[in-house]
Amino acid sequence: MSSPQVLIVGCIDFATDIYEDLKKKYSIEYYTSKSRQAFIQDCSTKYKDVPIIYRSPESQSVVGPFDAELVSHLPAALKYIVYCGAGYDSIDVQACANRKVMVSHTPMAVDDATADIAAILILNCCRNVLAASDNLRQGRWRNGVRMGTDPQGKVLGILGAGGIGRTLAKRMSGFDLAKVQYHNRSRLSPELEQGMEYVDFETLLKTSDIISVHCPLNNNTTHLINYREFTLMKDGVIIVNTARGKVINEAALVNALERGKVLSAGLDVFEEEPKISPGLLANPRCVLLPHIGTFTNESQYKMEKLVLDNLVAALEQDTLLTPVPEHKEFFKK
């Protein structure tokens, strides 16, 4: 039996209409491996001639991360991995590049939903909404609930002004903030800045009343916010993270919360999720969500559609529409 043109490692749950149409044109199969070791074995046998892998996060529980070790065992004929996710830290893209395997991800498709959650977390942290709701349910009305703070007149600092960060700026523009400032690897064009002010990293830390994290996780951003960075921040700062948990050192965040440096933290991502630090769970000034940034029907459909669009581009044009930043140079004419 010949190998499929596309191997699905994970699942397609939302863009099933597009998937059904593609099955009529191309040979597409779901992987059947029941463990990481079985998948490695299958890659050297029945999947050895597969040129494209569609990967979604659900496969993590079976085959684990696409780290250097697993990448070294991927099918010999593999050319592309189309990944269903904006953050791709579970794939060793350097190891892939070394094998000339190109990787795509799903930026833009996640911007609206993730920015919505960031805005929700900011407002919850400002107004202490969840703690107040819990208080009411426990029959205490407002007794013991801390006073809130208004977002009006505050400085919002956006760390990472990609699509999500820029969308958050739009979401928060109706709250009469004093200023929206951002730090990025490079300054945006005037068209993309749209009223935001570019500042260096330390200036953002020192002058922001609210800091929202939107940078990808890589070697340079792991524990980007650590003990030293918290000492630079304003007293009573609000921290929100909808990017990746490991961008913030959670132990340092707990310390900053406990000594009052951080007024409140709103987190949708964690260092070792789904394991949560006891220091965060026990702190009533934390708003904690179970990684629901893209957990909407519409966003999941948009993400899967973009992955399938990348898949078709790989099959028909030998290219990718949205390669990961580290691989864009391979697609320059």
Side-chain angles (χ1 to χ4, degrees), residues 88-89 215-223 244-247 326:
Y88 50 90
D89 46 284
C215 49
L217 179 65
N218 52 46
N219 290 336
N220 294 325
T221 61
T222 298
H223 286 183
R244 285 292 185 266
K246 289 183 180 179
V247 175
E326 293 88 343

Side-chain angles (χ1 to χ4, degrees), residues 28-314:
I28 304 175
E29 290 183 16
Y30 271 88
Y31 81 131
T32 57
S33 317
K34 303 300 182 183
S35 68
R36 183 179 175 92
Q37 195 54 48
F39 179 66
I40 288 173
Q41 179 62 36
D42 288 341
C43 283
S44 66
T45 55
K46 61 181 178 178
Y47 301 144
K48 64 184 176 63
D49 295 322
V50 168
I52 302 171
I53 285 179
Y54 176 118
R55 179 177 180 243
S56 59
E58 292 82 7
S59 66
Q60 186 91 351
S61 62
V62 178
V63 303
F66 275 39
D67 53 16
E69 188 246 352
L70 186 64
V71 168
S72 71
H73 293 289
L74 290 177
L78 190 67
K79 294 181 66 178
Y80 297 106
I81 298 172
V82 290
Y83 179 61
C84 191
Y88 50 90
D89 46 284
S90 63
I91 301 176
D92 189 328
V93 294
Q94 182 57 56
C96 288
N98 293 343
R99 279 200 50 188
K100 294 183 170 53
V101 174
M102 300 297 101
V103 181
S104 68
H105 65 141
T106 61
M108 302 172 294
V110 304
D111 292 354
D112 288 329
T114 307
D116 288 347
I117 288 296
I120 287 167
L121 287 170
I122 289 171
L123 296 176
N124 268 276
C125 287
C126 284
R127 297 303 304 273
N128 201 24
V129 173
L130 289 188
S133 177
D134 290 343
N135 224 53
L136 181 145
R137 290 176 182 277
Q138 294 167 18
R140 297 199 299 263
W141 195 240
R142 287 203 305 251
N143 295 321
V145 176
R146 71 168 174 84
M147 191 71 71
T149 185
D150 291 329
Q152 289 78 25
K154 303 300 190 297
V155 175
L156 170 62
I158 295 177
L159 187 53
I164 298 169
R166 298 196 303 272
T167 303
L168 174 66
K170 294 177 184 177
R171 296 291 189 271
M172 296 302 297
S173 64
F175 285 91
D176 296 326
L177 298 166
K179 180 168 62 174
V180 178
Q181 57 189 16
Y182 76 96
H183 178 71
N184 216 37
R185 283 174 294 185
S186 57
R187 184 167 184 171
L188 300 175
S189 66
E191 293 77 18
L192 290 178
E193 278 193 342
Q194 296 182 340
M196 297 187 294
E197 179 181 320
Y198 178 76
V199 295
D200 63 55
F201 181 50
E202 288 201 1
T203 297
L204 184 137
L205 297 179
K206 292 176 179 178
T207 61
S208 297
D209 300 298
I210 303 164
I211 297 174
S212 192
V213 178
H214 301 284
C215 49
L217 179 65
N218 52 46
N219 290 336
N220 294 325
T221 61
T222 298
H223 286 183
L224 180 64
I225 298 180
N226 214 323
Y227 287 95
R228 172 185 173 272
E229 285 67 33
F230 281 112
T231 66
L232 298 176
M233 296 178 192
K234 285 185 175 183
D235 292 339
V237 68
I238 289 172
I239 302 288
V240 165
N241 187 7
T242 56
R244 285 292 185 266
K246 289 183 180 179
V247 175
I248 299 177
N249 182 334
E250 281 185 6
L253 174 58
V254 169
N255 175 273
L257 281 159
E258 290 178 345
R259 60 191 178 85
K261 183 70 173 182
V262 172
L263 173 67
S264 183
L267 307 174
D268 188 43
V269 290
F270 305 89
E271 281 204 71
E272 303 294 338
E273 58 188 61
K275 181 182 177 182
I276 312 297
S277 162
L280 295 175
L281 288 171
N283 196 305
R285 293 181 286 112
C286 290
V287 182
L288 310 175
L289 299 177
H291 204 151
I292 61 170
T294 59
F295 201 59
T296 72
N297 290 310
E298 295 85 353
S299 287
Q300 292 296 317
Y301 185 92
K302 287 190 290 185
M303 290 168 68
E304 289 186 357
K305 180 182 184 301
L306 182 52
V307 183
L308 293 173
D309 288 345
N310 272 287
L311 187 156
V312 171

Side-chain angles (χ1 to χ4, degrees), residues 94 97 102 323-333:
Q94 182 57 56
M102 300 297 101
V324 298
E326 293 88 343
H327 291 181
K328 285 183 179 179
E329 62 181 290
F330 298 105
F331 294 90
K332 292 179 180 177
K333 300 293 185 182

